[in-house]
Amino acid sequence: MLKKKSTSEEDDEMDITPMIDVTFLLLIFFMVTSNMEQTATLAIPPAKHGEGITKDNAVILTIFKEGDEAEVYLSDGEKSNGPVEMQEVTAYVNEGVNAGKKNIIIKADRDIPSGFVEEVARAANEVEGNEGLKFYVGIEDKPE
Amino acid sequence: MPIQFRCSNCGQKLSISRKKAGSDVTCPECVQRVRVPTIEEAIARAKKRKLEKEKLLAQQAAKKAAAAKAKETPPPVKQREELPSEIKTKAPQTEKPKEHKPASPPKVEAPAPVSEPEKKPLREDLPSEAKAKAAPPDEEQSPTPPVIVKKPESPAEAPLTEEVEELEEVEELEEVDELEDINDAPPNLDDLFEDAGEEEVVDEKIAAEAPPLDDNQLLGDNQLEEKQVLSELDTESKESSPPATTTAGDDLSKSQAWQHHPNPWLHEDEEEDDFQLASPALEESGLDMTPMVDVTFLLLIFFMVTASFSTQKSLETAPPEPDEEGAAAAVVLEDIEEESVIVEIDEEDNIRVDDVPVSGFGELKDVLQAKIGEGKTEMLIEANAKSKHGTVVAVTDAGLEVQMQRIRRSSKKGDD
């Protein structure tokens, strides 16, 4: 009786080997890609003591280095929404502040002149309600 | 030796120690008080059965031809007579119960035929019919509730005394397990058959068909099954040889035992009985990978969720000084000189700490550490506009590492 379904009626058990293979593939993919958040062209300076800032509450500006020029993008590590001028930066930050965001993260390539970064920061600061704004410099986590 | 009889209420075959003959016991099936027949009663009953068997035999022989021809379903009473031949043709189906039966075939036949013919009358007239079939004459009442056991095999033909001798003694009333017979074809008819067969005929052909229906106690179903068997037998008229199918029972049991070897490719009967939803084959696989899959999924979900897409590592920097304000909003250098370390970064990324050049970030850190020791817990970074952003970040990081309390930044645009 126990072997009733051994031959005639038993539909073979589903072989889950392919499923496991796909699962592992996905797993490895996410393990690897979760650390690569920036495009290859953006070399964010490393630092050890960075603190994690949730992006939900932050306006993110990205500064790429194109040749000798720095280009500001109103995006998060991607070359979209840019390059823009300082006025657009201000407008963009204004939008974010109006939406309730309190933090401004500037992700700049490490070879960009700090003066430029300051300029961008200043432009971002020219919004209304800039009292409670906090400025951050996006870094790459560099463990000891 | 135990007495075997039928409960007068439910017809359940019971077996009880001979010592309890004549007393009352509680039937485990219907939970009613049942009187255990005495030895004399049992003997009388056995004789009656014998007579009936002989009668049936004669009738069966006479009706065989009729049964072979006609396909009609005779009345229940007559079915009994015709069934024997039909039953024998149905051996395969009925063989199974025979397998379950222990003991020798002859013994199987004996009690079965004896009991089956009586079973019918029993069911029809429960209270009045013989209760003890192949039961020993002695029956005693047991203090413990009766238990249903398998009917022991003993030739029904043998006089009661013989039966009595063959049966084992059981001190408690036991239920006779008759489940095996339920699946068989018309039980009653088979019983009848076996009764007749025991005495004489051994029909090997039919033997294969006649199932050991001895113990079948189906009530209502018997009628239907009998009819079915009858129709089958009609088609197999040739095989409906002497009703002696009872003996066929003996051979039946043997041949049936062989024929009814469970065919692994056919599960018709199995499916009817035990309907199992579980697939046991699953348990046979060597390595159960279910836990591994579970853990893998867990990890996958973990990494999907914590892919840190939503957090950006950042260093907090001082809000930029508005260009227009110039030095107005800036802190006067002199005021903070006592508490702050001034780190200057020129356009070539050379670092100077309090006007002391520092080469390398390692040294920078040491210097800053020393400054901390001196009580200067604040840091002011004056970075040339052309200095690299990365350098500024590194200096800031170094300051954080030495746990500067406050890091200010003043950007020099050219010359102040």
Side-chain angles (χ1 to χ4, degrees), chain B residues 5 75 98 171 351:
Chain B
F5 64 101
K98 243 195 164 73
E171 292 195 352
I351 304 170

Side-chain angles (χ1 to χ4, degrees), chain B residues 158-177:
Chain B
L160 262 183
T161 54
E162 294 179 2
E163 295 174 358
V164 168
E165 293 169 0
E166 292 170 356
L167 291 174
E168 300 175 357
E169 283 198 0
V170 177
E171 292 195 352
E172 295 181 351
L173 187 60
E174 298 176 336
E175 289 182 355
V176 181
D177 185 8

Side-chain angles (χ1 to χ4, degrees), chain B residues 289-349:
Chain B
M289 290 194 294
T290 305
M292 186 191 80
V293 176
D294 289 341
V295 171
T296 301
F297 275 125
L298 197 70
L299 279 175
L300 176 66
I301 292 170
F302 171 78
F303 279 107
M304 283 172 65
V305 168
T306 63
S308 71
F309 290 131
S310 62
T311 60
Q312 168 64 47
K313 289 280 191 164
S314 315
L315 280 180
E316 185 172 2
T317 61
E321 304 167 9
D323 200 14
E324 299 82 18
E325 297 182 19
V331 180
V332 182
L333 275 176
E334 290 73 16
D335 293 340
I336 62 174
E337 201 171 25
E338 295 166 358
E339 297 173 355
S340 296
V341 179
I342 298 174
V343 179
E344 296 168 348
I345 306 175
D346 66 3
E347 61 190 18
E348 291 182 4
D349 297 323

